[in-house]
Amino acid sequence: MSSAALVDVLILASIHDFPTDRVCVALEKAGASYLRLNSESLSSAKVRLDPQEPRLEIGLGDHTWVVDGGLKSVWWRQPTFLRNVPHEALTLDEQLSRSQWPAFLRGLMVFDDAQWINHPAMTYRAESKPWQLHIAAKLGFDIPKTIITNDPVAPIVETIGNCVAVKSIDTVLLREGNQQYFAYTQLLDWSDIATSDLCAAPVVIQEAISPKLDLRVTVLGEQAWAVAVTADGGAIDGDWRLKKKGELAYPTFDLPLDVEQRCIELVRSMGLVYGAIDLAVSGDRFIFIEINPTGEWGWLDNPERPLAKAIAAALQK
């Protein structure tokens, strides 16, 4: 192997993750010593990890990088677990790679003196919708009335109402043949879904918030950027992700200081550095919907909201 380069910033991402491209550009401009490992190229890498020291050598082609106790930070853009392809659709080699490489990447938690944005264990925990709602309520957020159930005779009408918002507990991405199915939040009458089919899996049942204005609050450390999500200049009924991207606009929204500070505290309390928080404004209520510890932000990055530069700066601290 050729002479090794020491790594200050380690980036674990995908080759298709274009927002991470922007972070890398900012790191380049700052002269930072970083290494980006894409999940698609891991099988081409030669790795040697000493978990006790800890020390990691990575060989890619003619180049070698060394990660040791001097590592400053890790930008974790890997999923905590994969949902998109059932294992029976994979070859034995693909199943082996799919299970062992993610386990190896999680094992890089041995570099526990580095700053993780975000730590894999904290990311996994923060993806739990029930836990999100629990912590948000403890911090004083207004949260929707919620029952998680698969019981068609649960007292939903009495406690929440007949018109409810129905969402999955975790991301639903299913495949049948060549078709893929994704589950969005839907506004439905409880009387239409309280059937024996509900027993198959629990779902999140919440009060339907209408009218409402959707907000996305992106938090990085002590910084927060808030935008409204609108279409045709106004608020959106239901799940805004069902709209075509070209129909959406993201004007800056001035959060009340107490709400902004509560968002920052939520991210901190969950052991995260970064979080994408969805709120809904209805009347004078600022209602917590959910937080995504690996939520997308590239669509919000602009000179007014220089997220890539802020992430690169945080990684260099």
Side-chain angles (χ1 to χ4, degrees), residues 12 16 34 50 55 68 87 89 114 131 165-166 178 197 207 210-211 228 241 249 262 288 290 312:
L12 305 173
H16 305 295
Y34 76 93
D50 176 350
R55 176 184 171 89
D68 60 15
H87 275 199
W131 194 71
V166 183
N178 293 325
D197 291 340
E207 64 175 298
S210 182
R241 295 172 299 174
R262 195 170 290 127
F288 173 83
E290 65 179 66

Side-chain angles (χ1 to χ4, degrees), residues 60-132:
L60 277 169
D62 295 329
H63 299 280
T64 304
W65 288 267
V66 171
V67 181
D68 60 15
L71 181 68
K72 290 182 179 179
S73 57
V74 182
W75 176 235
W76 174 267
R77 289 285 291 170
Q78 299 289 321
T80 51
F81 56 92
L82 300 172
R83 311 175 176 96
N84 57 345
V85 181
H87 275 199
E88 58 268 22
L90 303 174
T91 67
L92 291 177
D93 285 345
E94 288 169 336
Q95 292 179 52
L96 182 67
S97 177
R98 184 186 176 93
S99 65
Q100 298 309 299
W101 276 113
F104 175 80
L105 294 178
R106 290 194 301 273
L108 298 183
M109 291 186 288
V110 296
F111 294 99
D112 50 7
D113 287 335
Q115 173 187 219
W116 285 76
I117 307 178
N118 289 308
H119 193 281
M122 300 300 102
T123 297
Y124 185 87
R125 184 176 65 167
E127 286 183 335
S128 168
K129 286 188 173 69
W131 194 71
Q132 293 178 13

